[in-house]
Amino acid sequence: TTPDSVVPTLTTVRPGGIVFIGSNADTAAEAGTINARIVAEAGQLGLPALFIAIDHEGGLIQPIGDLPHLGPNRAFGTADPPA
């Protein structure tokens, strides 16, 4: 998926958010570029701020490869927040 391919969906569906899955982006820089473009397009359409998430299932599934490994969702969700 590219930002250009998302514009028609933003126009017709008018979603409240997007979810990165599979190979939408492989690096934090790619995800940032895609996010910025989609957020800009949504703003031009008058959509509210989008909720942006990633399908991170924990363990070996971590699509954005250059981010720190967060571990399984259960461990991440029960960890103490950083100070």
Short mmCIF file of all heavy atoms in Angstrom, two decimals:
data_model
loop_
_atom_site.label_atom_id
_atom_site.label_comp_id
_atom_site.label_asym_id
_atom_site.label_seq_id
_atom_site.Cartn_x
_atom_site.Cartn_y
_atom_site.Cartn_z
N THR A 1 0.84 -1.18 0.00
CA THR A 1 0.00 0.00 0.00
C THR A 1 0.88 1.24 0.00
O THR A 1 1.86 1.31 0.72
CB THR A 1 -0.91 0.00 1.24
OG1 THR A 1 -1.66 -1.20 1.25
CG2 THR A 1 -1.83 1.19 1.24
N THR A 2 0.51 2.21 -0.79
CA THR A 2 1.22 3.48 -0.83
C THR A 2 0.25 4.59 -0.44
O THR A 2 -0.97 4.42 -0.52
CB THR A 2 1.76 3.76 -2.24
OG1 THR A 2 0.65 3.92 -3.13
CG2 THR A 2 2.65 2.64 -2.73
N PRO A 3 0.76 5.74 -0.04
CA PRO A 3 -0.15 6.86 0.27
C PRO A 3 -1.08 7.19 -0.89
O PRO A 3 -2.25 7.49 -0.69
CB PRO A 3 0.80 8.02 0.59
CG PRO A 3 2.04 7.37 1.07
CD PRO A 3 2.15 6.09 0.25
N ASP A 4 -0.57 7.12 -2.13
CA ASP A 4 -1.42 7.42 -3.29
C ASP A 4 -2.60 6.46 -3.39
O ASP A 4 -3.70 6.86 -3.78
CB ASP A 4 -0.61 7.37 -4.59
CG ASP A 4 0.36 8.53 -4.69
OD1 ASP A 4 0.10 9.59 -4.11
OD2 ASP A 4 1.39 8.37 -5.37
N SER A 5 -2.38 5.20 -3.04
CA SER A 5 -3.47 4.23 -3.15
C SER A 5 -4.48 4.37 -2.02
O SER A 5 -5.59 3.84 -2.11
CB SER A 5 -2.91 2.81 -3.19
OG SER A 5 -2.34 2.44 -1.96
N VAL A 6 -4.12 5.07 -0.96
CA VAL A 6 -5.01 5.25 0.18
C VAL A 6 -5.96 6.43 -0.02
O VAL A 6 -7.06 6.45 0.53
CB VAL A 6 -4.19 5.42 1.48
CG1 VAL A 6 -5.07 5.78 2.66
CG2 VAL A 6 -3.41 4.15 1.78
N VAL A 7 -5.57 7.40 -0.83
CA VAL A 7 -6.38 8.61 -1.01
C VAL A 7 -7.82 8.30 -1.42
O VAL A 7 -8.76 8.84 -0.82
CB VAL A 7 -5.70 9.61 -1.97
CG1 VAL A 7 -6.61 10.76 -2.30
CG2 VAL A 7 -4.39 10.11 -1.37
N PRO A 8 -8.06 7.41 -2.41
CA PRO A 8 -9.46 7.11 -2.74
C PRO A 8 -10.25 6.53 -1.56
O PRO A 8 -11.43 6.84 -1.38
CB PRO A 8 -9.35 6.09 -3.88
CG PRO A 8 -8.01 6.33 -4.48
CD PRO A 8 -7.14 6.75 -3.33
N THR A 9 -9.58 5.72 -0.73
CA THR A 9 -10.25 5.16 0.44
C THR A 9 -10.57 6.25 1.45
O THR A 9 -11.66 6.26 2.03
CB THR A 9 -9.38 4.06 1.09
OG1 THR A 9 -9.11 3.06 0.11
CG2 THR A 9 -10.07 3.44 2.28
N LEU A 10 -9.64 7.17 1.66
CA LEU A 10 -9.92 8.28 2.57
C LEU A 10 -11.13 9.07 2.09
O LEU A 10 -11.96 9.50 2.89
CB LEU A 10 -8.70 9.22 2.66
CG LEU A 10 -7.45 8.70 3.36
CD1 LEU A 10 -6.32 9.72 3.23
CD2 LEU A 10 -7.72 8.39 4.81
N THR A 11 -11.23 9.25 0.79
CA THR A 11 -12.32 10.04 0.21
C THR A 11 -13.67 9.34 0.35
O THR A 11 -14.67 9.97 0.70
CB THR A 11 -12.02 10.31 -1.29
OG1 THR A 11 -10.77 10.97 -1.38
CG2 THR A 11 -13.08 11.18 -1.91
N THR A 12 -13.70 8.04 0.08
CA THR A 12 -14.99 7.33 0.08
C THR A 12 -15.38 6.76 1.45
O THR A 12 -16.52 6.86 1.85
CB THR A 12 -14.99 6.18 -0.96
OG1 THR A 12 -13.93 5.29 -0.67
CG2 THR A 12 -14.84 6.72 -2.36
N VAL A 13 -14.43 6.19 2.17
CA VAL A 13 -14.73 5.55 3.45
C VAL A 13 -14.70 6.55 4.60
O VAL A 13 -15.47 6.43 5.55
CB VAL A 13 -13.75 4.37 3.72
CG1 VAL A 13 -13.99 3.75 5.08
CG2 VAL A 13 -13.86 3.33 2.63
N ARG A 14 -13.80 7.54 4.50
CA ARG A 14 -13.62 8.54 5.55
C ARG A 14 -13.37 7.88 6.91
O ARG A 14 -14.11 8.05 7.86
CB ARG A 14 -14.80 9.50 5.58
CG ARG A 14 -15.02 10.19 4.24
CD ARG A 14 -16.13 11.20 4.23
NE ARG A 14 -15.88 12.35 5.07
CZ ARG A 14 -15.11 13.40 4.75
NH1 ARG A 14 -14.49 13.43 3.59
NH2 ARG A 14 -14.95 14.40 5.58
N PRO A 15 -12.28 7.08 7.00
CA PRO A 15 -12.01 6.31 8.22
C PRO A 15 -11.56 7.19 9.38
O PRO A 15 -11.16 8.34 9.20
CB PRO A 15 -10.87 5.40 7.78
CG PRO A 15 -10.12 6.21 6.77
CD PRO A 15 -11.21 6.94 6.02
N GLY A 16 -11.63 6.61 10.56
CA GLY A 16 -11.13 7.29 11.75
C GLY A 16 -9.69 6.93 12.05
O GLY A 16 -9.07 7.51 12.93
N GLY A 17 -9.15 5.96 11.31
CA GLY A 17 -7.78 5.56 11.55
C GLY A 17 -7.27 4.60 10.50
O GLY A 17 -8.01 4.18 9.61
N ILE A 18 -6.00 4.27 10.62
CA ILE A 18 -5.35 3.32 9.72
C ILE A 18 -4.53 2.35 10.57
O ILE A 18 -4.12 2.68 11.68
CB ILE A 18 -4.44 4.00 8.68
CG1 ILE A 18 -3.32 4.79 9.36
CG2 ILE A 18 -5.25 4.89 7.76
CD1 ILE A 18 -2.24 5.26 8.42
N VAL A 19 -4.31 1.17 10.03
CA VAL A 19 -3.50 0.16 10.70
C VAL A 19 -2.45 -0.34 9.71
O VAL A 19 -2.77 -0.74 8.60
CB VAL A 19 -4.35 -1.04 11.18
CG1 VAL A 19 -3.46 -2.10 11.83
CG2 VAL A 19 -5.42 -0.58 12.15
N PHE A 20 -1.19 -0.28 10.12
CA PHE A 20 -0.11 -0.87 9.32
C PHE A 20 -0.14 -2.37 9.53
O PHE A 20 -0.17 -2.84 10.67
CB PHE A 20 1.26 -0.34 9.76
CG PHE A 20 1.58 1.02 9.24
CD1 PHE A 20 1.24 2.14 9.99
CD2 PHE A 20 2.20 1.19 8.02
CE1 PHE A 20 1.53 3.40 9.51
CE2 PHE A 20 2.49 2.45 7.54
CZ PHE A 20 2.16 3.56 8.28
N ILE A 21 -0.16 -3.13 8.44
CA ILE A 21 -0.11 -4.58 8.52
C ILE A 21 0.93 -5.08 7.53
O ILE A 21 1.27 -4.39 6.56
CB ILE A 21 -1.47 -5.22 8.21
CG1 ILE A 21 -1.96 -4.83 6.82
CG2 ILE A 21 -2.51 -4.86 9.26
CD1 ILE A 21 -3.17 -5.59 6.35
N GLY A 22 1.42 -6.27 7.77
CA GLY A 22 2.34 -6.90 6.82
C GLY A 22 3.49 -6.00 6.43
O GLY A 22 4.25 -5.55 7.26
N SER A 23 3.57 -5.71 5.15
CA SER A 23 4.73 -4.96 4.65
C SER A 23 4.36 -3.55 4.18
O SER A 23 4.92 -3.05 3.23
CB SER A 23 5.37 -5.73 3.49
OG SER A 23 4.43 -5.89 2.44
N ASN A 24 3.42 -2.89 4.87
CA ASN A 24 3.11 -1.50 4.53
C ASN A 24 4.35 -0.62 4.65
O ASN A 24 4.54 0.30 3.87
CB ASN A 24 2.02 -0.93 5.42
CG ASN A 24 0.66 -1.54 5.15
OD1 ASN A 24 -0.01 -1.94 6.09
ND2 ASN A 24 0.24 -1.62 3.91
N ALA A 25 5.16 -0.89 5.65
CA ALA A 25 6.40 -0.14 5.86
C ALA A 25 7.38 -1.07 6.55
O ALA A 25 7.00 -1.84 7.43
CB ALA A 25 6.15 1.09 6.70
N ASP A 26 8.64 -0.99 6.17
CA ASP A 26 9.67 -1.84 6.76
C ASP A 26 10.56 -1.09 7.74
O ASP A 26 11.25 -1.70 8.54
CB ASP A 26 10.54 -2.46 5.67
CG ASP A 26 9.76 -3.41 4.78
OD1 ASP A 26 8.91 -4.16 5.30
OD2 ASP A 26 10.00 -3.40 3.56
N THR A 27 10.58 0.25 7.65
CA THR A 27 11.43 1.05 8.52
C THR A 27 10.62 2.17 9.15
O THR A 27 9.55 2.54 8.65
CB THR A 27 12.60 1.67 7.75
OG1 THR A 27 12.08 2.64 6.82
CG2 THR A 27 13.43 0.62 7.02
N ALA A 28 11.15 2.72 10.23
CA ALA A 28 10.48 3.84 10.89
C ALA A 28 10.38 5.03 9.93
O ALA A 28 9.37 5.74 9.92
CB ALA A 28 11.24 4.22 12.16
N ALA A 29 11.40 5.25 9.12
CA ALA A 29 11.38 6.36 8.16
C ALA A 29 10.26 6.19 7.13
O ALA A 29 9.54 7.15 6.82
CB ALA A 29 12.73 6.49 7.46
N GLU A 30 10.10 4.97 6.61
CA GLU A 30 9.01 4.70 5.66
C GLU A 30 7.65 4.93 6.33
O GLU A 30 6.77 5.56 5.74
CB GLU A 30 9.06 3.25 5.16
CG GLU A 30 10.12 2.98 4.14
CD GLU A 30 10.11 1.51 3.71
OE1 GLU A 30 9.46 0.67 4.37
OE2 GLU A 30 10.75 1.21 2.70
N ALA A 31 7.48 4.44 7.54
CA ALA A 31 6.21 4.61 8.25
C ALA A 31 5.94 6.09 8.49
O ALA A 31 4.81 6.56 8.32
CB ALA A 31 6.23 3.85 9.57
N GLY A 32 6.97 6.85 8.86
CA GLY A 32 6.82 8.28 9.08
C GLY A 32 6.40 9.02 7.83
O GLY A 32 5.52 9.90 7.87
N THR A 33 6.99 8.66 6.70
CA THR A 33 6.65 9.29 5.43
C THR A 33 5.21 8.97 5.05
O THR A 33 4.44 9.86 4.65
CB THR A 33 7.60 8.81 4.32
OG1 THR A 33 8.93 9.20 4.66
CG2 THR A 33 7.23 9.39 2.97
N ILE A 34 4.82 7.71 5.18
CA ILE A 34 3.45 7.31 4.87
C ILE A 34 2.47 8.02 5.80
O ILE A 34 1.46 8.57 5.36
CB ILE A 34 3.30 5.78 4.96
CG1 ILE A 34 4.11 5.10 3.84
CG2 ILE A 34 1.83 5.37 4.89
CD1 ILE A 34 4.25 3.61 4.00
N ASN A 35 2.77 8.03 7.10
CA ASN A 35 1.89 8.68 8.07
C ASN A 35 1.69 10.16 7.73
O ASN A 35 0.57 10.66 7.73
CB ASN A 35 2.46 8.58 9.48
CG ASN A 35 2.31 7.21 10.08
OD1 ASN A 35 1.60 6.36 9.57
ND2 ASN A 35 3.02 6.98 11.16
N ALA A 36 2.78 10.85 7.45
CA ALA A 36 2.70 12.29 7.16
C ALA A 36 1.82 12.55 5.94
O ALA A 36 0.99 13.47 5.95
CB ALA A 36 4.10 12.87 6.96
N ARG A 37 2.00 11.76 4.91
CA ARG A 37 1.21 11.96 3.69
C ARG A 37 -0.26 11.67 3.92
O ARG A 37 -1.14 12.43 3.51
CB ARG A 37 1.77 11.08 2.58
CG ARG A 37 0.98 11.07 1.31
CD ARG A 37 1.13 12.37 0.52
NE ARG A 37 0.19 12.41 -0.58
CZ ARG A 37 0.31 11.72 -1.72
NH1 ARG A 37 1.36 10.96 -1.92
NH2 ARG A 37 -0.61 11.81 -2.64
N ILE A 38 -0.56 10.57 4.61
CA ILE A 38 -1.95 10.20 4.86
C ILE A 38 -2.62 11.23 5.78
O ILE A 38 -3.76 11.63 5.55
CB ILE A 38 -2.04 8.78 5.43
CG1 ILE A 38 -1.66 7.77 4.33
CG2 ILE A 38 -3.44 8.48 5.98
CD1 ILE A 38 -1.54 6.35 4.81
N VAL A 39 -1.92 11.67 6.80
CA VAL A 39 -2.47 12.68 7.71
C VAL A 39 -2.74 13.99 6.96
O VAL A 39 -3.78 14.63 7.14
CB VAL A 39 -1.53 12.90 8.92
CG1 VAL A 39 -1.90 14.14 9.70
CG2 VAL A 39 -1.55 11.67 9.82
N ALA A 40 -1.81 14.38 6.08
CA ALA A 40 -2.00 15.60 5.28
C ALA A 40 -3.23 15.46 4.37
O ALA A 40 -4.05 16.38 4.27
CB ALA A 40 -0.76 15.91 4.46
N GLU A 41 -3.34 14.34 3.70
CA GLU A 41 -4.48 14.10 2.81
C GLU A 41 -5.79 14.10 3.60
O GLU A 41 -6.79 14.68 3.16
CB GLU A 41 -4.33 12.77 2.06
CG GLU A 41 -3.19 12.73 1.08
CD GLU A 41 -3.44 13.57 -0.18
OE1 GLU A 41 -4.59 13.97 -0.44
OE2 GLU A 41 -2.46 13.81 -0.89
N ALA A 42 -5.79 13.45 4.77
CA ALA A 42 -7.00 13.41 5.60
C ALA A 42 -7.39 14.83 6.03
O ALA A 42 -8.57 15.18 6.04
CB ALA A 42 -6.78 12.52 6.81
N GLY A 43 -6.39 15.64 6.38
CA GLY A 43 -6.66 17.02 6.76
C GLY A 43 -7.29 17.82 5.63
O GLY A 43 -8.21 18.61 5.85
N GLN A 44 -6.80 17.61 4.42
CA GLN A 44 -7.36 18.31 3.27
C GLN A 44 -8.81 17.90 3.01
O GLN A 44 -9.59 18.67 2.45
CB GLN A 44 -6.52 18.06 2.02
CG GLN A 44 -5.17 18.75 2.07
CD GLN A 44 -4.34 18.48 0.83
OE1 GLN A 44 -4.82 17.93 -0.16
NE2 GLN A 44 -3.08 18.87 0.88
N LEU A 45 -9.16 16.69 3.41
CA LEU A 45 -10.54 16.20 3.24
C LEU A 45 -11.44 16.59 4.41
O LEU A 45 -12.62 16.25 4.42
CB LEU A 45 -10.54 14.68 3.07
CG LEU A 45 -9.88 14.15 1.80
CD1 LEU A 45 -9.70 12.64 1.88
CD2 LEU A 45 -10.72 14.53 0.58
N GLY A 46 -10.85 17.26 5.40
CA GLY A 46 -11.64 17.67 6.55
C GLY A 46 -11.91 16.56 7.55
O GLY A 46 -12.81 16.67 8.38
N LEU A 47 -11.13 15.48 7.49
CA LEU A 47 -11.29 14.38 8.44
C LEU A 47 -10.67 14.75 9.78
O LEU A 47 -9.71 15.53 9.83
CB LEU A 47 -10.63 13.11 7.91
CG LEU A 47 -11.21 12.51 6.63
CD1 LEU A 47 -10.35 11.35 6.15
CD2 LEU A 47 -12.63 12.06 6.87
N PRO A 48 -11.19 14.19 10.88
CA PRO A 48 -10.54 14.42 12.17
C PRO A 48 -9.17 13.74 12.20
O PRO A 48 -8.86 12.92 11.32
CB PRO A 48 -11.51 13.77 13.17
CG PRO A 48 -12.27 12.78 12.37
CD PRO A 48 -12.34 13.32 10.97
N ALA A 49 -8.38 14.06 13.20
CA ALA A 49 -7.07 13.42 13.35
C ALA A 49 -7.24 11.89 13.34
O ALA A 49 -8.11 11.36 14.03
CB ALA A 49 -6.41 13.86 14.64
N LEU A 50 -6.44 11.23 12.52
CA LEU A 50 -6.55 9.78 12.39
C LEU A 50 -5.86 9.06 13.54
O LEU A 50 -4.80 9.48 14.01
CB LEU A 50 -5.91 9.31 11.08
CG LEU A 50 -6.55 9.80 9.80
CD1 LEU A 50 -5.73 9.35 8.60
CD2 LEU A 50 -7.98 9.28 9.68
N PHE A 51 -6.44 7.96 13.97
CA PHE A 51 -5.79 7.03 14.90
C PHE A 51 -4.91 6.14 14.05
O PHE A 51 -5.37 5.52 13.09
CB PHE A 51 -6.85 6.21 15.65
CG PHE A 51 -6.25 5.24 16.62
CD1 PHE A 51 -5.85 5.67 17.87
CD2 PHE A 51 -6.09 3.92 16.29
CE1 PHE A 51 -5.29 4.78 18.78
CE2 PHE A 51 -5.53 3.02 17.18
CZ PHE A 51 -5.14 3.45 18.43
N ILE A 52 -3.61 6.09 14.36
CA ILE A 52 -2.67 5.29 13.57
C ILE A 52 -2.11 4.18 14.47
O ILE A 52 -1.62 4.45 15.56
CB ILE A 52 -1.54 6.16 13.01
CG1 ILE A 52 -2.13 7.24 12.11
CG2 ILE A 52 -0.52 5.31 12.25
CD1 ILE A 52 -1.13 8.26 11.61
N ALA A 53 -2.19 2.94 13.99
CA ALA A 53 -1.75 1.79 14.77
C ALA A 53 -0.96 0.85 13.88
O ALA A 53 -0.89 1.01 12.67
CB ALA A 53 -2.96 1.07 15.36
N ILE A 54 -0.36 -0.15 14.50
CA ILE A 54 0.36 -1.18 13.77
C ILE A 54 -0.07 -2.55 14.29
O ILE A 54 -0.37 -2.71 15.47
CB ILE A 54 1.89 -1.01 13.91
CG1 ILE A 54 2.62 -1.98 13.00
CG2 ILE A 54 2.33 -1.16 15.36
CD1 ILE A 54 4.07 -1.65 12.80
N ASP A 55 -0.14 -3.50 13.39
CA ASP A 55 -0.50 -4.87 13.75
C ASP A 55 0.76 -5.56 14.27
O ASP A 55 1.46 -6.23 13.53
CB ASP A 55 -1.06 -5.60 12.53
CG ASP A 55 -1.49 -7.03 12.84
OD1 ASP A 55 -1.72 -7.32 14.03
OD2 ASP A 55 -1.58 -7.83 11.91
N HIS A 56 1.04 -5.34 15.54
CA HIS A 56 2.21 -5.95 16.18
C HIS A 56 1.70 -7.07 17.07
O HIS A 56 1.04 -6.82 18.08
CB HIS A 56 2.96 -4.92 17.02
CG HIS A 56 4.05 -5.52 17.86
ND1 HIS A 56 5.27 -5.83 17.34
CD2 HIS A 56 4.06 -5.88 19.14
CE1 HIS A 56 6.02 -6.36 18.30
NE2 HIS A 56 5.30 -6.40 19.40
N GLU A 57 1.94 -8.30 16.67
CA GLU A 57 1.40 -9.44 17.40
C GLU A 57 2.34 -9.96 18.47
O GLU A 57 2.01 -10.89 19.19
CB GLU A 57 1.03 -10.54 16.42
CG GLU A 57 -0.08 -10.08 15.49
CD GLU A 57 -0.51 -11.15 14.52
OE1 GLU A 57 -0.20 -12.33 14.75
OE2 GLU A 57 -1.15 -10.80 13.53
N GLY A 58 3.50 -9.39 18.58
CA GLY A 58 4.44 -9.85 19.59
C GLY A 58 5.30 -10.98 19.07
O GLY A 58 5.09 -11.50 17.98
N GLY A 59 6.28 -11.34 19.85
CA GLY A 59 7.17 -12.41 19.43
C GLY A 59 7.94 -12.02 18.18
O GLY A 59 8.55 -10.96 18.11
N LEU A 60 7.88 -12.87 17.16
CA LEU A 60 8.64 -12.64 15.93
C LEU A 60 7.96 -11.67 14.97
O LEU A 60 8.58 -11.23 14.01
CB LEU A 60 8.86 -13.98 15.22
CG LEU A 60 9.65 -15.01 16.00
CD1 LEU A 60 9.72 -16.32 15.21
CD2 LEU A 60 11.04 -14.51 16.32
N ILE A 61 6.69 -11.36 15.19
CA ILE A 61 5.96 -10.48 14.27
C ILE A 61 6.19 -9.03 14.67
O ILE A 61 5.62 -8.54 15.64
CB ILE A 61 4.44 -10.78 14.29
CG1 ILE A 61 4.16 -12.26 14.13
CG2 ILE A 61 3.71 -9.92 13.27
CD1 ILE A 61 4.30 -12.80 12.75
N GLN A 62 7.05 -8.35 13.97
CA GLN A 62 7.29 -6.93 14.19
C GLN A 62 7.62 -6.31 12.84
O GLN A 62 8.76 -6.31 12.41
CB GLN A 62 8.42 -6.69 15.19
CG GLN A 62 8.60 -5.21 15.45
CD GLN A 62 9.42 -4.92 16.69
OE1 GLN A 62 9.33 -5.62 17.67
NE2 GLN A 62 10.21 -3.88 16.62
N PRO A 63 6.61 -5.77 12.15
CA PRO A 63 6.79 -5.29 10.78
C PRO A 63 7.82 -4.17 10.61
O PRO A 63 8.51 -4.13 9.62
CB PRO A 63 5.40 -4.80 10.38
CG PRO A 63 4.46 -5.49 11.30
CD PRO A 63 5.21 -5.70 12.57
N ILE A 64 7.90 -3.25 11.55
CA ILE A 64 8.85 -2.15 11.42
C ILE A 64 10.17 -2.63 12.03
O ILE A 64 10.38 -2.59 13.24
CB ILE A 64 8.36 -0.86 12.11
CG1 ILE A 64 6.94 -0.50 11.67
CG2 ILE A 64 9.34 0.28 11.87
CD1 ILE A 64 6.80 -0.10 10.23
N GLY A 65 11.05 -3.10 11.16
CA GLY A 65 12.24 -3.82 11.60
C GLY A 65 13.28 -3.02 12.36
O GLY A 65 14.03 -3.58 13.14
N ASP A 66 13.34 -1.70 12.15
CA ASP A 66 14.41 -0.94 12.81
C ASP A 66 13.96 -0.26 14.10
O ASP A 66 14.66 0.59 14.63
CB ASP A 66 15.04 0.06 11.84
CG ASP A 66 14.07 1.13 11.35
OD1 ASP A 66 12.86 1.00 11.58
OD2 ASP A 66 14.54 2.10 10.73
N LEU A 67 12.81 -0.66 14.62
CA LEU A 67 12.38 -0.17 15.93
C LEU A 67 12.80 -1.17 17.00
O LEU A 67 12.94 -2.36 16.71
CB LEU A 67 10.86 0.01 15.97
CG LEU A 67 10.29 1.10 15.07
CD1 LEU A 67 8.77 1.10 15.18
CD2 LEU A 67 10.86 2.45 15.41
N PRO A 68 12.97 -0.71 18.23
CA PRO A 68 13.32 -1.67 19.29
C PRO A 68 12.25 -2.73 19.41
O PRO A 68 11.05 -2.46 19.25
CB PRO A 68 13.35 -0.81 20.55
CG PRO A 68 13.49 0.59 20.08
CD PRO A 68 12.86 0.66 18.73
N HIS A 69 12.66 -3.96 19.67
CA HIS A 69 11.71 -5.06 19.83
C HIS A 69 10.93 -4.85 21.12
O HIS A 69 11.52 -4.67 22.19
CB HIS A 69 12.44 -6.40 19.85
CG HIS A 69 11.50 -7.54 19.71
ND1 HIS A 69 10.82 -8.07 20.77
CD2 HIS A 69 11.11 -8.24 18.62
CE1 HIS A 69 10.05 -9.04 20.35
NE2 HIS A 69 10.21 -9.17 19.05
N LEU A 70 9.62 -4.83 21.03
CA LEU A 70 8.78 -4.57 22.19
C LEU A 70 8.40 -5.82 22.96
O LEU A 70 7.86 -5.73 24.05
CB LEU A 70 7.50 -3.85 21.73
CG LEU A 70 7.71 -2.53 21.01
CD1 LEU A 70 6.37 -1.99 20.52
CD2 LEU A 70 8.42 -1.53 21.89
N GLY A 71 8.67 -6.98 22.39
CA GLY A 71 8.29 -8.22 23.05
C GLY A 71 6.82 -8.52 22.84
O GLY A 71 6.11 -7.78 22.16
N PRO A 72 6.33 -9.60 23.42
CA PRO A 72 4.93 -9.95 23.29
C PRO A 72 4.01 -8.88 23.89
O PRO A 72 4.39 -8.18 24.83
CB PRO A 72 4.80 -11.26 24.07
CG PRO A 72 6.20 -11.77 24.19
CD PRO A 72 7.09 -10.57 24.19
N ASN A 73 2.80 -8.77 23.36
CA ASN A 73 1.86 -7.75 23.83
C ASN A 73 1.62 -7.83 25.33
O ASN A 73 1.54 -6.81 26.00
CB ASN A 73 0.52 -7.87 23.10
CG ASN A 73 0.61 -7.34 21.69
OD1 ASN A 73 1.45 -6.51 21.38
ND2 ASN A 73 -0.27 -7.82 20.83
N ARG A 74 1.47 -9.04 25.86
CA ARG A 74 1.20 -9.18 27.29
C ARG A 74 2.33 -8.58 28.13
O ARG A 74 2.10 -7.85 29.07
CB ARG A 74 0.98 -10.64 27.67
CG ARG A 74 0.67 -10.84 29.11
CD ARG A 74 0.37 -12.32 29.42
NE ARG A 74 0.08 -12.52 30.79
CZ ARG A 74 -1.12 -12.44 31.33
NH1 ARG A 74 -2.14 -12.14 30.57
NH2 ARG A 74 -1.29 -12.65 32.62
N ALA A 75 3.57 -8.87 27.77
CA ALA A 75 4.71 -8.34 28.50
C ALA A 75 4.79 -6.82 28.36
O ALA A 75 5.05 -6.10 29.32
CB ALA A 75 6.01 -8.99 28.03
N PHE A 76 4.54 -6.34 27.15
CA PHE A 76 4.59 -4.88 26.92
C PHE A 76 3.48 -4.17 27.70
O PHE A 76 3.70 -3.14 28.31
CB PHE A 76 4.44 -4.61 25.41
CG PHE A 76 4.49 -3.17 25.04
CD1 PHE A 76 5.66 -2.44 25.17
CD2 PHE A 76 3.36 -2.54 24.59
CE1 PHE A 76 5.71 -1.10 24.82
CE2 PHE A 76 3.39 -1.19 24.23
CZ PHE A 76 4.57 -0.48 24.37
N GLY A 77 2.29 -4.76 27.72
CA GLY A 77 1.15 -4.13 28.39
C GLY A 77 1.25 -4.14 29.89
O GLY A 77 0.65 -3.30 30.56
N THR A 78 1.99 -5.07 30.46
CA THR A 78 2.09 -5.15 31.92
C THR A 78 3.38 -4.54 32.45
O THR A 78 3.57 -4.45 33.66
CB THR A 78 2.00 -6.62 32.40
OG1 THR A 78 3.05 -7.37 31.79
CG2 THR A 78 0.65 -7.21 32.05
N ALA A 79 4.25 -4.09 31.56
CA ALA A 79 5.53 -3.48 31.99
C ALA A 79 5.28 -2.11 32.60
O ALA A 79 4.32 -1.41 32.25
CB ALA A 79 6.47 -3.36 30.81
N ASP A 80 6.15 -1.73 33.50
CA ASP A 80 6.08 -0.38 34.07
C ASP A 80 6.45 0.62 33.00
O ASP A 80 7.40 0.40 32.22
CB ASP A 80 7.04 -0.24 35.25
CG ASP A 80 6.59 -1.04 36.47
OD1 ASP A 80 5.37 -1.23 36.63
OD2 ASP A 80 7.46 -1.46 37.24
N PRO A 81 5.72 1.74 32.91
CA PRO A 81 6.08 2.75 31.91
C PRO A 81 7.44 3.36 32.23
O PRO A 81 7.85 3.40 33.40
CB PRO A 81 4.98 3.80 32.02
CG PRO A 81 4.31 3.54 33.33
CD PRO A 81 4.58 2.11 33.71
N PRO A 82 8.16 3.81 31.19
CA PRO A 82 9.46 4.44 31.45
C PRO A 82 9.29 5.70 32.28
O PRO A 82 8.27 6.38 32.20
CB PRO A 82 10.00 4.77 30.06
CG PRO A 82 8.93 4.43 29.09
CD PRO A 82 7.81 3.77 29.80
N ALA A 83 10.28 5.97 33.10
CA ALA A 83 10.23 7.17 33.97
C ALA A 83 10.43 8.43 33.17
O ALA A 83 10.98 8.49 32.15
CB ALA A 83 11.29 7.05 35.05
#
